[in-house]
Amino acid sequence: MSGTDGRSGAGSGGTDAGGSGRDGGDSARTARGGGDSTRTARGGGGAAAAPPAVTTPRGRRPVVAALMLGMALAAIDGTIVSTAVPQIVGDLGGLTVFSWLFSGYLLAVTVTLPLYGKLSDTFGRKPVLVAGIILFLVGSVLCAAAWNMAALIAFRIVQGLGGGALQGTVQTIAADLYPLKERPRIQAKLSTVWATSAVAGPVVGGLLAGYADWRWIFLINLPVGAVALWLVVRHLHEPSRPRPATRPRVDWAGALAVFATGSLLLTALVQGGVAWPWLSAPSLGLLGTSAVLAALTVVIERRAAEPIIPGWVWRRRTIASVNLALGAMGLLMVAPTVFLPTYAQSVLGLGPIAAGFVLSVMTLSWPVSAALSDRVYNRIGFRRTAMIGMSAALLILLAFPLLPYPGEPWHPALLMLLLGAALGLFQLPLIVGVQSTVGWAERGTTTASVLFCRQVGQSIGAALFGAVANGVLAARLLDAPVDGLPGDLDAVTRALEDPGAFSAAATDHVRRAVDAAVDYVYIGAAGAAALALLALITLAPRRFPIITEPTEAAGTAGAPGRQDAAS
């Protein structure tokens, strides 16, 4: 079975089969061992496939530094604000809407990923990355100058518009820079930056808010972004491409439809059950309108000459399966990142810093596992490596509810260490693999689709598991030894911070209720892991059809010779 988009896209051959399709004679393919097949891309019909952006290892170094700085900007901004919320609310007010500081940024990043991916394929990576950095820095300056909460939320959305360009384009350029055998090196570096930012963000935010002023949280982005911008402008040299016969057209109608659909859907998922009940008029209205807009988006994209989300993203088995698998991974990631700190504080009785450490150990093993994953997928292929990683993650998630109550802090910390290693073995092979199945002219769109699905999965997971946790908690508190207990997880967690809030018996009952709620969340996360496995087993081809650019095949892109398949 093969997925075909009916077009001879640049560098793709128009075919994405499980190692058995034909590409019309326009590619040379080999298969080795039990891994993935290789074929060389040759231009045909569309824009010619361009070689990687930089062709010498020395020339790559400043570009890699720029990518790491850009990734740091996008990664740390999601966490650095969290510890400064009390100071921000105390200065600007807006306690009832402060959650939009995070939701607004997330919405803007997620819904713009497909647009930036298409733009980078159409006009090149460099202009999109430069525009993204500038937009992010402008948003940072505006956030630092905000005069009330509404202005700060609006400026955070501006930041998110730049953050979407940073996330997608950085990952795409990383794939352009390195041939297949060397890509784990840059991906491991980016994973390390992301992991370090996740740990350092709350610490830096707390220090700046406590000893300086919360506005420095945004101003600190300026020197980092300025260095990244200078390195990109000075050292990233994209090769000239043949001028197309017709002027490139941007599908602005499709972009607006995708933006509107994503915004309404994510707003419903993020705010449902928080700002209003799930079955209330706002939730039902947003979900219904987003469904109508989704249908309209499909119609617009099918008629567009150059759609923002092309149909081949879902018609090719490899890309569709990776999108679904990483969407499921985004779903399961909500369990450790959102609910584990609550578990550590409410059940184990740890302070915020110690609770953060229990989670942070996952970010230590993840990049190490990712960096070593090439030794596995070069032997057995991308699909099998990812299946091993997710199978291990499934078992680890199922082990969490078996932890003793209340247990020791090292129990969940050990599980998170193992989970990080398992997910590093799962995610990186899929990202490297799917980027290697398309040519230069389709890599931005493909990468953006993967990141978009992962982000949407996280939003769905936050809404779904939040409802599960609150439902279990409310059921367990019905027979509590005292009356008047709060019925949602956040309120219970705040109440447990006051030692005199409950009697000893009531406190133990509440802690056990929180423990049960988080256990069910982890069971749900295990279900998401099973969905990821199912997507790989039923949809992903056994061999990823690897495409090498002509320059890679000739050994001129920093590779020692012809780009071989991961086998």
Side-chain angles (χ1 to χ4, degrees), residues 1-2 16-21 29 31-38 317-319 321-322 377 379-387 429-430 433 437 535-546 565-567:
M1 178 178 179
S2 64
D16 187 356
S20 60
R29 306 177 62 177
R32 300 188 307 150
D36 308 293
S37 58
T38 304
R317 290 176 57 196
T318 307
I319 302 175
S321 62
V322 171
Y377 68 66
R379 290 179 177 273
I380 64 174
F382 296 116
R383 175 176 176 266
R384 291 179 182 175
T385 303
M387 289 172 60
L430 289 184
T437 65
L536 294 178
I537 292 171
T538 60
L539 294 177
R542 293 185 178 182
R543 294 175 178 173
F544 279 28
I546 306 304
S567 57

Side-chain angles (χ1 to χ4, degrees), residues 137-390:
L137 296 182
V138 169
S140 298
V141 172
L142 293 174
C143 286
W147 54 91
N148 58 34
M149 185 61 74
L152 183 58
I153 290 171
F155 298 148
R156 282 281 286 172
I157 293 175
V158 174
Q159 257 194 324
L161 296 177
L166 287 173
Q167 285 196 28
T169 312
V170 163
Q171 293 278 6
T172 305
I173 294 176
D176 292 341
L177 287 175
Y178 289 87
L180 176 58
K181 285 186 176 180
E182 300 181 46
R183 279 177 196 158
R185 184 189 310 172
I186 179 62
Q187 289 291 349
K189 290 180 179 179
L190 294 179
S191 297
T192 302
V193 169
W194 196 274
T196 303
S197 300
V199 177
V203 176
V204 174
L207 291 175
L208 291 175
Y211 296 98
D213 187 271
W214 64 264
R215 298 179 190 273
W216 281 101
I217 289 174
F218 302 104
L219 293 176
I220 199 175
N221 293 331
L222 300 183
V224 178
V227 173
L229 185 62
W230 180 81
L231 289 173
V232 170
V233 173
R234 176 70 176 82
H235 295 285
L236 179 58
H237 304 294
E238 293 191 286
S240 59
R241 290 178 291 159
R243 180 173 296 180
T246 59
R247 183 178 179 181
R249 289 180 293 177
V250 179
D251 178 24
W252 294 113
L256 181 61
V258 170
F259 188 90
T261 303
S263 297
L264 291 181
L265 176 60
L266 293 179
T267 299
L269 294 174
V270 170
Q271 295 299 309
V274 178
W276 48 71
W278 279 110
L279 296 180
S280 64
S283 282
L284 296 178
L286 286 171
L287 291 173
T289 305
S290 62
V292 173
L293 287 176
L296 179 62
T297 301
V298 172
V299 173
I300 293 174
E301 294 296 86
R302 293 185 67 177
R303 295 180 178 179
E306 293 292 337
I308 296 296
I309 304 180
W312 53 260
V313 168
W314 294 106
R315 286 195 293 269
R316 298 182 188 176
R317 290 176 57 196
T318 307
I319 302 175
S321 62
V322 171
N323 282 345
L324 292 175
L326 287 179
M329 192 200 79
L331 194 71
L332 74 85
M333 281 298 297
V334 172
T337 57
V338 176
F339 291 94
L340 185 62
T342 298
Y343 172 88
Q345 294 182 68
S346 299
V347 178
L348 302 180
L350 301 179
I353 296 178
F357 176 76
V358 172
L359 173 61
S360 67
V361 294
M362 182 174 68
T363 65
L364 301 178
S365 58
W366 191 314
V368 175
S369 173
L372 298 176
S373 65
D374 63 317
R375 301 186 181 185
V376 182
Y377 68 66
N378 279 331
R379 290 179 177 273
I380 64 174
F382 296 116
R383 175 176 176 266
R384 291 179 182 175
T385 303
M387 289 172 60
I388 291 173
M390 187 51 72

